[in-house]
Amino acid sequence: MLEIQYHGHSCIQLTSEGHSIIIDPFITGNPLAATKLSDIRVQYILLTHGHQDHILDAVELAKQNDATIIATFELANYLGWQGAKTMALNLGGSASFPFGTVKMTQAFHSSGMVFEEDTRIVYLGMPGGFIVTMGGKTVYHAGDTGLFGDMKLLGERHDIDAAFLPIGDVFTMGPEDAKTAAEWVGAKFVVPMHYDTFPPIKQDGKAFVESLKEKGIDGAALKPGESTRL
């Protein structure tokens, strides 16, 4: 059994048999967050890319839990310099952990920190997504991405029980492209993410989930703090 908890934006926590991991922690800067950062207990933190709304709480959460951050080489080094325990993983690579396995997939987006005070941008490696096996289930977190054809290949190579797909548009896929992505990856269950947090990415998550039924795909538009089980 695998418990899925949605913390808002793109932040997903997966828990099974005493193991817990979190992907893209963005709690303190999220106006819709329903969970306190201090209440989260995890052993690993997975980061899809180096934008603030995906890594803001990573170092503090890692130190709070003595957890290991898993991210691309550049991002792992950047956060390691801030005192976090890190492990580098890159696109196409996979590794085994006490909870299961992690494979990093490609994503089409950008990755870097913007420091407006001195008009500087720090490049933080390629963006990605993750395929995680845990609790006898396989889940796909797409990260921030547009639709791309190799999502079909992911569906052919992996039996995906659940997919977390961005639907916010503007910076990622919108609902129509995300619906196609759900088909291509062959997901049995879909949770929309990366929407509603800020005005530019306002979307109707429930309407998106309803539209998936036309394709025979189940899903749930979880509110921040809500959980479901596979």
Side-chain angles (χ1 to χ4, degrees):
M1 184 187 70
L2 180 66
E3 181 178 349
I4 297 167
Q5 186 173 14
Y6 180 57
H7 290 298
H9 206 54
S10 297
C11 183
I12 306 290
Q13 186 172 355
L14 305 174
T15 303
S16 179
E17 299 177 352
H19 300 288
S20 195
I21 69 175
I22 198 166
I23 305 172
D24 287 356
F26 179 58
I27 306 296
T28 57
N30 183 351
L32 303 181
T35 308
K36 292 181 180 178
L37 192 68
S38 58
D39 292 335
I40 295 176
R41 297 288 179 266
V42 292
Q43 293 89 41
Y44 292 90
I45 300 164
L46 280 58
L47 302 178
T48 61
H49 66 291
H51 284 160
Q52 186 177 25
D53 57 335
H54 296 259
I55 70 170
L56 180 65
D57 295 317
V59 171
E60 182 175 349
L61 192 60
K63 292 179 178 179
Q64 171 184 302
N65 287 272
D66 193 29
T68 300
I69 294 173
I70 301 170
T72 55
F73 178 80
E74 293 85 356
L75 183 53
N77 275 277
Y78 178 76
L79 299 177
W81 293 335
Q82 297 174 45
K85 290 198 306 184
T86 65
M87 173 185 167
L89 191 67
N90 229 317
L91 305 187
S94 60
S96 297
F97 300 92
F99 61 83
T101 63
V102 175
K103 181 176 183 178
M104 196 164 196
T105 67
Q106 69 192 69
F108 284 83
H109 194 58
S110 57
S111 179
M113 287 290 288
V114 176
F115 296 93
E116 295 185 359
E117 63 275 11
D118 54 1
T119 60
R120 179 170 54 98
I121 296 176
V122 176
Y123 170 72
L124 289 174
M126 295 286 287
F130 292 107
I131 291 179
V132 177
T133 61
M134 186 176 184
K137 303 295 182 181
T138 300
V139 300
Y140 170 50
H141 188 294
D144 279 12
T145 188
L147 183 68
F148 59 94
D150 280 354
M151 285 181 171
K152 294 179 182 179
L153 183 60
L154 296 178
E156 292 171 4
R157 295 283 302 276
H158 303 275
D159 185 13
I160 296 174
D161 294 292
F164 311 108
L165 302 175
I167 68 165
D169 215 347
V170 183
F171 304 110
T172 67
M173 296 186 288
E176 285 303 311
D177 281 355
K179 187 162 62 172
T180 300
E183 275 193 285
W184 284 357
V185 301
K188 303 177 184 70
F189 187 83
V190 172
V191 175
M193 63 176 189
H194 204 276
Y195 72 103
D196 277 5
T197 318
F198 311 110
I201 58 173
K202 190 77 175 175
Q203 296 289 345
D204 188 335
K206 289 184 178 179
F208 170 73
V209 169
E210 283 296 314
S211 74
L212 293 176
K213 293 181 180 179
E214 303 167 9
K215 306 293 185 180
I217 302 170
D218 291 327
L222 299 177
K223 295 178 181 178
E226 287 188 338
S227 299
T228 189
R229 292 181 176 181
L230 296 178

